[in-house]
Amino acid sequence: MMRDSIALDSTRLAALQQTPLWDFALTFYARPGVEQACLTLQEAASIDVCELLFHSWLYAHGLEALPVPLSTLRQARREWQAGITEVLRGLRRDLKSTVNPSETVTTLRERIKQAELLAERENLQRWQTWAWDNDQSSAHLRNRRENPHDAGRWLQERLLLPQDETSPDCDTEATSAIQYAFAVLGQQLDPLQRAR
């Protein structure tokens, strides 16, 4: 039964604190279609996959981040992604396009790929630390307002601004791909919800 109150439920917070975000992310990302949906949203809508995984983790525990404190955290996490993760991703992609790469280039690309993964893991750790902060949890989180029947739409509302959904830069094909990616995520996220 879903509680009417949106005040932070200590039982939900305790369950969240027993499920590290990295572990959740690995499980969720391995579900059918999730990896491709995340990559589609990263490329077509410039969505930060780490933030997407963070919101998915909260959703699975019946929680959501409060908008005002989230905006401050989001800016710090975006700076990390832009300054660290995206730089590594760009280097890795540049090396991938090398014609007839040497063994050294192939090894370098693999090491950069590992560094990129570590950068993403660190970013997720920082999202998790913010949510798990016992002194601030009630100032950061609340019970999810509703029990949506569409987890994909719920995620979309947290990750896209209204103007992003109808951006003139997005053609019909890109918009359809974005909508489909959120639908896939929602279908795979709903079974991961904890019983309340």
Side-chain angles (χ1 to χ4, degrees):
M1 181 171 100
M2 184 75 169
R3 296 181 186 204
D4 291 334
S5 172
I6 61 169
L8 182 61
D9 181 330
S10 61
T11 303
R12 292 180 191 191
L13 180 61
L16 186 78
Q17 291 173 334
Q18 293 172 7
T19 309
L21 177 51
W22 179 251
D23 294 347
F24 171 86
L26 291 176
T27 300
F28 185 50
Y29 204 75
R31 294 184 66 85
V34 171
E35 178 180 1
Q36 186 55 52
C38 288
L39 294 175
T40 296
L41 292 172
Q42 179 177 279
E43 295 302 317
S46 299
I47 287 180
D48 176 3
V49 173
C50 290
E51 183 177 357
L52 183 153
L53 294 168
F54 170 73
H55 287 290
S56 298
W57 177 60
L58 293 178
Y59 177 92
H61 290 85
L63 300 168
E64 65 184 359
L66 292 165
V68 173
L70 175 66
S71 65
T72 302
L73 176 66
R74 179 180 280 145
Q75 182 59 37
R77 302 290 26 95
R78 284 183 178 169
E79 288 171 9
W80 173 271
Q81 288 294 82
I84 307 294
T85 310
E86 290 173 13
V87 171
L88 292 167
R89 184 176 300 129
L91 290 170
R92 178 180 54 80
R93 288 178 175 170
D94 287 348
L95 289 173
K96 185 177 183 177
S97 65
T98 303
V99 178
N100 299 321
S102 66
E103 184 178 324
T104 304
V105 169
T106 301
T107 301
L108 177 59
R109 184 173 182 275
E110 282 306 308
R111 290 198 178 154
I112 292 172
K113 184 178 180 179
Q114 288 303 312
E116 181 185 351
L117 185 61
L118 287 172
E120 289 181 338
R121 186 172 185 169
E122 176 63 23
N123 197 15
L124 288 172
Q125 180 66 38
R126 291 176 185 202
W127 282 101
Q128 174 185 288
T129 297
W130 180 84
W132 281 5
D133 182 350
N134 285 327
D135 295 333
Q136 293 294 317
S137 291
S138 62
H140 293 163
L141 305 174
R142 66 181 173 207
N143 290 347
R144 201 172 57 232
R145 285 181 181 259
E146 69 280 341
N147 189 9
H149 297 289
D150 186 350
R153 183 71 187 160
W154 183 89
L155 273 176
Q156 186 173 342
E157 289 169 357
R158 267 112 203 110
L159 293 162
L160 291 178
L161 299 172
Q163 66 268 20
D164 291 339
E165 295 178 44
T166 57
S167 173
D169 297 339
C170 276
D171 58 26
T172 304
E173 189 175 320
T175 300
S176 294
I178 291 167
Q179 296 296 328
Y180 180 74
F182 276 116
V184 167
L185 293 172
Q187 290 166 356
Q188 293 301 328
L189 185 56
D190 279 332
L192 296 177
Q193 288 188 84
R194 294 178 55 91
R196 282 177 260 303

